[in-house]
């Protein structure tokens, strides 16, 4: 299993990675979306002048496995207030759908660590095992039976060894 931590990489970085990196290096089972799910990691401009970068999108659009996930360190999506950006969210849905219909199974794999609506922030915990990837939301009781849904930092970035 692979995790791609995109940080605050700009569109220029993703374009360069698309041109220079080995294709396998950009594959991911889990993508931490760049810059809190801003569209500016995948294009340039403002408002109606915005243009998506095909090369930046190609660098990021490399999900692998049967159940890839995108994680955004952000709050809920709201029109006119970004990040996170609803247009970027929709691009990530396309990545996760892998050319198929965007349905609830796809949209459930884009996660916000800073809460949705009035919900509290929650850490997303992934376990990488030979049998595949599993996830739980810390503090929700959503962990698999017998597993500790450990908190890694209060709803933002953070990692913990198990």
């Amino acid at each position: 299993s692979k995790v791609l931590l995109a940080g605050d990489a700009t569109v220029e970085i993703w374009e360069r990675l698309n041109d220079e990196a080995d294709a396998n290096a950009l594959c991911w089972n889990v993508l931490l979306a760049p810059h809190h799910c801003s569209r500016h990691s995948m294009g340039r401009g403002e408002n109606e002048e915005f243009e998506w970068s095909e090369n930046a999108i190609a660098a990021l659009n490399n999900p692998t496995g049967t159940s890839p996930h995108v994680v955004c360190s952000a709050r809920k999506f709201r029109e006119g207030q970004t990040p996170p950006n609803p247009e970027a969210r929709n691009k990530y849905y396309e990545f996760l759908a892998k050319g198929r219909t965007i349905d609830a199974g796809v949209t459930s794999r884009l996660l916000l660590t800073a809460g949705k609506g009035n919900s509290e922030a929650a850490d997303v915990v992934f376990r990488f095992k030979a049998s595949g990837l599993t996830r739980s939301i810390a503090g929700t009781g959503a962990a698999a039976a017998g597993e500790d849904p450990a908190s890694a930092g209060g709803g933002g970035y953070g990692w913990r060894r198990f």
Side-chain angles (χ1 to χ4, degrees):
S1 295
K2 292 181 156 188
V3 178
L4 181 58
L5 304 174
D8 284 337
T10 63
V11 64
E12 292 83 10
I13 297 298
W14 294 111
E15 290 170 336
R16 183 174 174 189
L17 286 169
N18 187 61
D19 292 342
E20 298 177 11
D22 176 86
N24 191 45
L26 297 173
C27 291
W28 48 268
N29 299 94
V30 177
L31 169 66
L32 179 59
H35 201 263
H36 310 283
C37 199
S38 167
R39 69 181 182 168
H40 290 287
S41 294
M42 293 187 275
R44 295 177 179 81
E46 296 297 328
N47 304 319
E48 295 82 34
E49 306 281 322
F50 187 83
E51 290 186 32
W52 297 99
S53 165
E54 290 182 29
N55 286 337
I57 289 170
L60 285 163
N61 188 8
N62 293 292
T64 189
T66 58
S67 184
H69 286 70
V70 173
V71 180
C72 304
S73 180
R75 299 199 184 279
K76 72 178 184 172
F77 293 91
R78 297 175 293 218
E79 292 297 326
Q81 296 181 359
T82 66
N85 183 278
E87 293 175 51
R89 173 202 56 210
N90 294 342
K91 283 287 183 201
Y92 291 122
Y93 285 159
E94 291 174 19
F95 296 178
L96 293 170
K98 297 181 179 182
R100 295 187 294 272
T101 302
I102 297 171
D103 58 16
V106 169
T107 61
S108 69
R109 290 185 280 121
L110 189 142
L111 307 168
L112 302 175
T113 62
K116 291 184 179 182
N118 295 323
S119 66
E120 294 296 318
D123 296 315
V124 179
V125 178
F126 290 97
R127 288 176 174 69
F128 299 91
K129 300 179 181 180
S131 60
L133 173 73
T134 61
R135 79 160 202 240
S136 62
I137 309 299
T140 65
E147 294 185 353
D148 172 38
S151 175
Y157 297 115
W159 302 95
R160 179 174 167 185
R161 259 180 200 224
F162 295 94

